[in-house]
Amino acid sequence: MADLIFESPEARVRAYISDLHLQWLAARDYMGSGPFDYDPVAFRKWNEACKVIHQRHFTPDAPKDEFGFGYSWSQPAHHSEQESITNVRTETDFAVIETENAEHYPAFYEYELKHVGNDWRITKVSPFYAPEGERLFSDSVKNQVLAMVKPDAPLPDLPPGISPNCGRLFEDNRMIRVMGLETPLKVAPAGLLHLVSGIIGVCDLGRDNDDFLPLSRSVAPGDYPVELAIAHGYGAAARVVFQPDREVATWAPAPTVNGGSHHTQIAYMNLAFVDAGAMMSLEKREKERLFNLSYLEPIRQNITETHRSMHLRSTPPENPDAICVNVGDTSGESPCYWGLAADGSIVSLVADFQFIAEHQHETIQVPWSSGQLNMPIDHPVLTQWNVMIFLGGDIKGTGFHVIGANFDSARLLDPSGNVIANSEEGPKVDTHLGSVHLINEVLTDVKNATLEITISTGYRN
């Protein structure tokens, strides 16, 4: 049967939503109740059905509607009864349809369409988590937060065990070992960062950013070079250089305002230096769109770049007020440090992605019998690094409860030194205090076993 022709963009969008929803309803019979990616046969069947729908409603060069076709199974991303059109913008050959599905997350979709002959076809579907017009921060909150930033804000001391030595991260062609392979560390320019406010933020632009806080210290407004340290094609570190002719004498943590942390959370494989005033002036949808266009779209098109430049509030020919670095598969935290000259002035700002850091550890051994009910193991190394470990066991097996961020791993050894269990391999349950590690077997000689504990004591570059 020939595909239907739609003379209005709204009719095309409604037909697409209906078709995909009907296919989702039919697919439940063969997909089962669990995530479909665990059933390769069902997944292939679903994928083939989606291809037919894509060909029926999209232009041939249109990217796949990822959220509609593959990212939702427990509930449909598009629903013929729940997703309604909220706005239509139409020109002669181009249209944008906005919809909302309050029962789904993300709840907002933007359909772009092109007039082809006497028909309308979808060229792109973009999901959004925020409604149009919602601000990231109100003006009052923005002004209050930015007012906390001072050029002479006090800086904390380095935590125990930390030797950032960030200069080593930017020694061009230094041979390093990453994932067991020797590779040269490459240093490359990433352009000039436009800081109209002189107030800097470091953030993962893929996050909501409604908890964004700028760094506590400001610099003089201006345009500053950004450099990347690259290993295996990914950013290992990034820095903003404020005084290229000065040497760094000391490194100090670069915390956010109001006594915040100098660690930045990485969740979506990127980290950005931004002008904080520009960042806090954005609408949520505006920020999402910038991240999608400047960062996610090139990735989907297999464009491999180490960084992307973004104009949050600045406009060409001004330099970008955000430079977003591709940190590959890294997730977790990136510590940030100010590089200070001998007179205390700021030379550079470094974000260390911990890709090539040398992590330091200390290992101790304690008899299992040293643990008492409701009492942590008493050992000076554990006390020094604020780690508490409670031992325990029952008929289901033997386990221990850990409280403290510096715990790395533990192994249970029998009297001959053989490994009985390893915390990195056994099941783990996270709690609001720490983590519980269970060993899924009953140990007949547990009282004579030894617990070998490895503590993370910092890192160095």
Side-chain angles (χ1 to χ4, degrees), residues 117-138:
N118 61 346
D119 191 14
W120 284 93
R121 289 271 175 165
I122 301 171
T123 60
K124 185 180 178 182
V125 182
S126 301
F128 291 100
Y129 293 87
E132 191 72 64
E134 185 175 315
R135 293 280 301 276
L136 195 58
F137 295 94
S138 67

Side-chain angles (χ1 to χ4, degrees), residues 208-222:
D208 289 342
N209 298 126
D210 53 5
D211 58 351
F212 172 87
L213 289 173
L215 300 185
S216 63
R217 275 203 180 183
S218 62
V219 298

Side-chain angles (χ1 to χ4, degrees), residues 316-331:
E318 291 177 311
N319 289 313
D321 46 15
I323 293 180
C324 185
V325 183
N326 180 3
V327 299
D329 292 331
T330 300
S331 61

Side-chain angles (χ1 to χ4, degrees), residues 131-379:
E132 191 72 64
E134 185 175 315
R135 293 280 301 276
L136 195 58
F137 295 94
S138 67
D139 285 337
S140 60
V141 171
K142 178 187 74 172
N143 294 335
Q144 180 183 6
V145 170
L146 294 180
M148 298 180 188
V149 182
K150 307 294 181 183
D152 56 352
L155 301 177
D157 295 330
L158 287 172
I162 304 299
S163 301
N165 304 323
C166 295
R168 299 198 73 221
L169 295 171
F170 296 89
E171 294 178 3
D172 194 30
N173 288 316
R174 177 168 69 92
M175 294 302 295
I176 59 174
R177 180 175 289 274
V178 180
M179 296 178 289
L181 300 175
E182 290 279 339
T183 187
L185 185 67
K186 306 299 293 184
V187 178
L192 294 175
L193 178 65
H194 183 58
L195 295 176
V196 66
S197 68
I199 301 176
I200 310 171
V202 186
C203 63
D204 178 335
L205 284 172
R207 301 177 72 243
D208 289 342
N209 298 126
D210 53 5
D211 58 351
F212 172 87
L213 289 173
L215 300 185
S216 63
R217 275 203 180 183
S218 62
V219 298
D223 296 318
Y224 298 101
V226 175
E227 296 178 338
L228 306 181
I230 302 168
H232 288 306
Y234 294 118
R239 70 178 174 184
V240 187
V241 181
F242 304 102
Q243 298 189 77
D245 56 338
R246 301 288 300 276
E247 294 289 331
V248 173
T250 58
W251 296 99
T256 56
V257 294
N258 207 24
S261 171
H262 72 287
H263 287 79
T264 300
Q265 294 288 335
I266 300 177
Y268 294 90
M269 301 184 295
N270 79 95
L271 204 67
F273 293 124
V274 302
D275 178 273
M279 178 73 179
M280 298 186 75
S281 300
L282 291 174
E283 293 181 357
K284 291 184 178 181
R285 176 80 65 91
E286 188 180 14
K287 195 274 298 185
E288 286 187 70
R289 184 175 284 107
L290 283 166
F291 182 68
N292 289 340
L293 291 176
S294 299
Y295 189 80
L296 293 182
E297 285 298 327
I299 291 177
R300 293 190 182 106
Q301 298 171 25
N302 293 321
I303 298 174
T304 55
E305 296 175 340
T306 55
H307 67 282
R308 276 89 179 179
S309 298
M310 301 181 190
H311 293 268
L312 306 181
R313 279 290 176 264
S314 66
T315 56
E318 291 177 311
N319 289 313
D321 46 15
I323 293 180
C324 185
V325 183
N326 180 3
V327 299
D329 292 331
T330 300
S331 61
E333 295 183 335
S334 171
C336 299
Y337 299 100
W338 293 114
L340 305 177
D343 61 3
S345 63
I346 294 174
V347 175
S348 62
L349 170 66
V350 174
D352 182 0
F353 306 149
Q354 299 283 277
F355 193 47
I356 58 174
E358 299 176 15
H359 293 275
Q360 307 298 299
H361 300 94
E362 185 169 351
T363 298
I364 63 172
Q365 291 189 348
V366 297
W368 184 269
S369 57
S370 65
Q372 300 179 25
L373 187 63
N374 298 324
M375 292 290 292
I377 296 173
D378 184 16
H379 194 284

Side-chain angles (χ1 to χ4, degrees), residues 18-31 46 73 76 78-81:
S18 177
D19 276 3
L20 191 60
H21 185 218
L22 288 172
Q23 180 56 50
W24 181 87
L25 290 172
R28 288 190 303 180
D29 295 336
Y30 61 81
M31 296 294 252
W46 166 256
W73 179 242
H78 303 295
H79 196 299
S80 54
E81 295 179 0

